[in-house]
Each structure stands twice: as C-alpha cells, then as structure tokens.
Amino acid sequence: MIIAFVRTIILYLLIIAGVRLMGKRQVGELEPSELVLALLIADLAAVPMQDFGIPLLSGIIPILTLLCITMIISVLTMKSVTFRALLCGRPSIIVENGTLHQKEMAKNRFTVDELMEELRMKGITDISTVKYAILETNGQISVLPYADQKPPAAKDMAITIQEAGLPLIIINDGRVLEHNLKLRGYNNSWLEKQLKAKGAKSPKEVYLLSVDEAGQIYFAPKEIQA
C-alpha cells in the first residue's frame, strides 16, 4: 500500500508540473500540441500507477521527455512564426463585413449552427452587424462588431468615472484577513463600525466583505442554514 501511495504521489506531481507548463488555460483553450501532451501524460501515468509490476521509471522517463519536448516547442514557437503556424495553425476569418466565408468554414469543419451559437453567447444575433469573426487556433471565436454597434464607453459620452481599482477581500467566510485590512489602510475599529452599519454582530456572520481602492464596500451576509 505504501509503494502504491508513493508512486501515485510522484506521478501526480509530475502531471501537475506538466499542466503548469501549459499555463492557466481551460481544456477548450489548449493548442493542439498542448492537448496532445495532456492526453499522453495522463495515459503514461495511469499504467505505472495501477500496475506495480512496471518500474516507476517506465512512467517517469517518458513524462519527463514529453515535458522537455514541450519546453523546446514553446521556445521554437516564440522564436519562429513559421514554426508556430505549422504547429498550431493560423486564425481563420469566417465572417468579414457581415459576409460569411463559406470556404473557410468548410476548411475548418465549422458549421453555421456552431457559429450562431458562438455569436449568441456574445450577445449577437445579426451576422450583418459583425465586422469580423475570427476562428482562433484554440477553437475560440473572436467577434469584432462594427464601431457603431459597440456600446458607448464613458469617454464617448464625456463622463468622468472614478476608477474603483482592485477589490481586496477583508472577510472570507467568517475569517478576517488582517493583512488585506492593513493593506487597505484600515483597522479593526473601522471594521467593527462597518459590520455594525451592515447589521452584523461579528465577522462570523459575514460570508464576504471586500473593499476596492475607492473605498466601495461589497457585503454579503452568511445565509442561514436550514
């Protein structure tokens, strides 16, 4: 049992290292080479994790080899645009000036239903309002509407808006984060006044309390468990 435990931990840490090398991406955002790497590493780790008759090195060496190859490929894709295009492909423009590029859609095996679904998810129902729709190399759709279809920004309306900045969590599920409280320039007396104003007797009654750089407070009390 101890051997199985140790082998599993070692292989698990190797897989985590491989995933970290690919950066913070979701599965749907992986490049083809990254997706292949993830599948291969999982498969290579599963066999020595289950079969104790196979030496642990038989799983570790191939995984380390794949990670090394991944690092080399990452450097090459950064240095060479041609190599990146060969490995990852190029973005495809499937809508231009409100017109569908049917050949590009057929080449990428991308259906009209899939396109309409992607547009709806971005709040667009009329293709004629789309300046460009680009199928990226990771399978995601980037949509650029016409300028007159974009929602107006504050600067377009000559409105001055104060930057709220990044909010910091002060209370997380009943726990006071003293470091964040001091980082915002407040103390426990200030926190007690805020809790009293919100009708909370103690931090334990608070699920979330955060403060942004402008001093705006977000408060969420804990829900009463049935």
Side-chain angles (χ1 to χ4, degrees):
M1 286 295 294
I2 295 178
I3 295 176
F5 181 72
V6 172
R7 287 165 68 102
T8 301
I9 289 179
I10 292 173
L11 292 168
Y12 174 75
L13 292 176
L14 276 176
I15 294 172
I16 292 296
V19 173
R20 289 289 292 161
L21 282 175
M22 292 185 291
K24 296 180 180 179
R25 302 194 190 187
Q26 298 178 5
V27 174
E29 297 175 345
L30 296 179
E31 299 286 358
S33 59
E34 295 170 336
L35 180 59
V36 170
L37 172 69
L39 294 174
L40 286 176
I41 287 180
D43 188 53
L44 287 170
V47 177
M49 198 179 291
Q50 297 172 356
D51 191 345
F52 301 153
I54 298 176
L56 187 58
L57 285 176
S58 298
I60 292 178
I61 293 176
I63 292 175
L64 290 177
T65 302
L66 286 174
L67 295 181
C68 290
I69 292 173
T70 300
M71 294 300 296
I72 294 171
I73 289 176
S74 296
V75 173
L76 290 175
T77 53
M78 290 177 62
K79 299 291 185 182
S80 173
V81 176
T82 303
F83 182 79
R84 176 171 175 79
L86 180 65
L87 185 69
C88 303
R90 295 180 184 276
S92 298
I93 298 176
I94 57 178
V95 178
E96 184 175 9
N97 296 325
T99 303
L100 290 172
H101 286 192
Q102 299 178 30
K103 290 183 179 179
E104 284 295 316
M105 293 182 65
K107 185 176 73 174
N108 289 280
R109 294 177 294 281
F110 199 77
T111 66
V112 172
D113 291 335
E114 290 172 327
L115 173 61
M116 296 306 296
E117 180 181 349
E118 291 287 342
L119 293 179
R120 286 195 300 271
M121 291 174 65
K122 291 176 172 56
I124 297 174
T125 57
D126 187 356
I127 295 179
S128 64
T129 63
V130 177
K131 178 69 174 178
Y132 292 107
I134 303 168
L135 179 60
E136 306 292 356
T137 57
N138 59 11
Q140 301 294 312
I141 294 286
S142 298
V143 180
L144 306 175
Y146 282 98
D148 60 357
Q149 297 293 329
K150 295 179 180 178
K155 66 177 183 178
D156 299 327
M157 304 174 68
I159 299 175
T160 302
I161 298 177
Q162 183 181 5
E163 292 287 348
L166 181 68
L168 286 182
I169 296 175
I170 306 300
I171 299 179
N172 182 356
D173 197 8
R175 297 183 297 273
V176 178
L177 305 183
E178 297 286 350
H179 176 74
N180 288 350
L181 183 63
K182 294 178 181 177
L183 201 61
R184 274 287 173 261
Y186 301 125
N187 53 29
N188 286 317
S189 297
W190 174 88
L191 182 59
E192 289 175 5
K193 290 180 181 178
Q194 299 304 319
L195 293 178
K196 186 177 180 180
K198 300 294 184 182
K201 297 180 181 179
S202 72
K204 292 182 179 180
E205 297 180 4
V206 181
Y207 185 72
L208 174 63
L209 188 148
S210 65
V211 185
D212 61 26
E213 295 175 15
Q216 297 294 321
I217 298 173
Y218 177 82
F219 176 82
K222 277 190 178 181
E223 294 180 352
I224 299 175
Q225 300 295 328

